[in-house]
Amino acid sequence: MSIFKKTLISMCLMSASTMVCATPITANVTADNDFIVVHSPGNGSTPTVVYRGVNGSNWQKIESFKFDIDNSAQSLETCSVSVIAWGDGKVSQGMAAIFKGDSTIYTGSGHFKAHQSTTPSSGWAQTGGPNASQINTLIADTLSNGQPPYLLPGSVAGGTSPWGTMNFPLASNVNANNFRWAWSTSHLAPKTYSVFTAACGDIVDSAQVAVHMPGEHFQCYGVQKGDALREETIMIEDQFGKTRAVLGKPVLLCNPSSKIHNDKMYKIRNEKRHMVCYDLIKQNKVRNHNLEINNQFAPDQIVNDQRELFCVPSSKKHLKPVKPNTPGKPIPREMKRAEIKPLKQR
C-alpha cells in the first residue's frame, strides 16, 4: 500500500464521524452530440451533475475531468455514475467513456446499463439539458429497466465509422479491442436522452474500516529488575512457524485494562490474569510475511520481523512500596545473546 493511500485511509478513519472519505475519479468522455455526467448517491439523495460537456456538437474533442466518490461501504451499496447523452435525431449516435478510480471501467467493459428514454433532448449541456426532476427519472428508469448497451461494430482504437480514430488519454488503462462506441439501443435515430449507468462499486474499492475484535485489553509497563530465567530450551509454535527458544529476563508487565474509545467502554474481563513478557536470547530466524492487520484503531499493512518477546499468563501481587532511587536487584548472571541452528521452516 502506498504512503499516500495509507495516509488517506488514516485521515478517513480518524475523522469518520465528521468527514466523508472519497476516492478521486478521472474520466474521459465524448458523445455525439453532447453529454452530462451525474453522480447519484442513491437512498433518496439528490443526484449531482459533476460535469457538463463544454464542446456542444464538437464531439471530436475528448473531454477529461475529475470528481470524487464516497468510498464508504454504506454509500457504495446504492451509489451510481451516469452519462446522459443527447440524441440529435440522426443515425450516427455514439458515446465513448473511460472512468478510472481504484479500477477502470469503459464502454465495452460490461459495467454499464443503458436505457433509451422518451424524454426529448434539447439545448446543450452548458445551457440546458434535462432538469433535476428529469435527471432523477432518467437515472431511476435506467437502474430499473437498463439493459446492456448496444455496442457499435469496431473498436474505438480501430477508428469506428463515422468517428474515426480518437486518442483517449486513459486508453492505456483499457482493453483496446473491447473499448467500443455505445448507444442505448440499436435504434439510433430518436431525439431523446440516452442514459448509461454504472455502479460506483465497479470503479471504487470500499474503504477499509477499523474492526472490533473480541478479547482482553492490556496496558504494558517496562520492568526495572527481575531475575533471568534458568537457561533451558523451549519449543514455541505459532502461525509463523516453530522455534527453539531460550528466554531471558522479564521486560514487560501487562495489566488487564479497561478502555473508553469513541464513547464505548471496553471492560476488564479477568482482573486476575496478567501477562509477563520475557525477551529471547536464542531463537530461530523468522520468515517475513506481508500482512494486513486491523483493530479498533485502524487497518494497516505490515511486514513482520524477528520475534521480540514471549508472554505468559501470570499472577501479580503488590509488595511493599519501592523506595526512591533504590537500585534494582542484581541479575544472577548475564546471559549472552546467540543464534542457534534454525529449524526447517514450514
Side-chain angles (χ1 to χ4, degrees), residues 2 42 75 87 136 145 157 166 174 178 185 191 197 218 241 256 263 273 289 330:
S2 69
S75 174
N136 287 338
N145 302 312
M166 300 182 70
V174 309
N178 293 340
T185 71
K191 193 175 181 180
T197 298
F218 288 89
D263 297 326
R273 181 174 57 212
H289 302 269

Side-chain angles (χ1 to χ4, degrees), residues 198-242:
C200 292
D202 290 345
I203 317 170
V204 172
D205 293 338
S206 177
Q208 294 175 298
V209 296
V211 298
H212 296 273
M213 296 295 293
E216 194 78 89
H217 293 73
F218 288 89
Q219 174 70 57
C220 296
Y221 299 82
V223 174
Q224 290 186 359
K225 65 177 183 177
D227 290 341
L229 297 176
R230 183 178 63 184
E231 183 171 346
E232 58 183 52
T233 300
I234 61 173
M235 293 295 298
I236 303 172
E237 181 176 7
D238 61 17
Q239 294 175 335
F240 295 155
K242 296 179 180 179

Side-chain angles (χ1 to χ4, degrees), residues 23-27 65-69 99-103 203-204:
T23 297
I25 308 299
T26 303
F65 53 95
K66 295 183 178 182
F67 61 99
D68 293 335
I69 291 178
F99 290 85
K100 182 178 184 298
D102 296 313
S103 301
I203 317 170
V204 172

Side-chain angles (χ1 to χ4, degrees), residues 27-82:
N28 297 160
V29 181
T30 188
D32 183 1
N33 270 321
D34 208 352
F35 70 94
I36 60 174
V37 175
V38 180
H39 170 221
S40 178
N43 285 333
S45 300
T46 303
T48 301
V49 178
V50 296
Y51 187 79
R52 291 182 176 273
V54 298
N55 293 318
S57 61
N58 190 8
W59 44 262
Q60 294 93 336
K61 293 185 177 180
I62 299 162
E63 303 193 36
S64 299
F65 53 95
K66 295 183 178 182
F67 61 99
D68 293 335
I69 291 178
D70 176 5
N71 62 11
S72 66
Q74 182 178 4
S75 174
L76 293 180
E77 288 181 1
T78 57
C79 169
S80 63
V81 173
S82 301

